[in-house]
Amino acid sequence: MSYDDVEIEDMQWSDELQAYTYPCPCGDLFQITKEELKLGEEIARCPSCSLYITVIYNAEDFADDGSKNNLEPQKRQAVAVA
């Protein structure tokens, strides 16, 4: 069972860890990376204890931009101008 449910907006981005973080009661930080979020992961773990939290976020906000490039561009059609 998750220790808590936390909105992604309530977490802090750490440039050093390259992860979103949230304070853990043990004194360390729960951590989850953007790559994990892109893969649909919703569990942020604490590296110092066994606790974890469920991160509430919109998966579309972290969707891989490369997946959008798989769509074929619209074909252009010549138009005659009189």
Side-chain angles (χ1 to χ4, degrees):
M1 180 179 211
S2 177
Y3 170 73
D4 201 1
D5 293 345
V6 177
E7 300 271 345
I8 192 78
E9 293 84 8
D10 294 331
M11 300 180 79
Q12 298 292 317
W13 174 254
S14 168
D15 284 328
E16 181 181 335
L17 298 172
Q18 289 295 297
Y20 286 95
T21 62
Y22 189 79
C24 180
C26 79
D28 205 344
L29 297 169
F30 295 106
Q31 303 172 21
I32 191 165
T33 65
K34 287 182 181 179
E35 289 74 26
E36 291 171 321
L37 293 168
K38 285 180 183 180
L39 293 173
E41 181 64 60
E42 59 183 25
I43 301 298
R45 302 181 192 291
C46 176
S48 297
C49 71
S50 61
L51 293 178
Y52 61 91
I53 57 173
T54 301
V55 180
I56 309 298
Y57 71 103
N58 183 349
E60 292 176 359
D61 292 343
F62 293 91
D64 189 5
D65 292 332
S67 65
K68 294 177 184 175
N69 292 335
N70 292 339
L71 298 174
E72 286 188 34
Q74 291 182 344
K75 296 185 184 204
R76 296 184 181 215
Q77 189 172 13
V79 176
V81 178

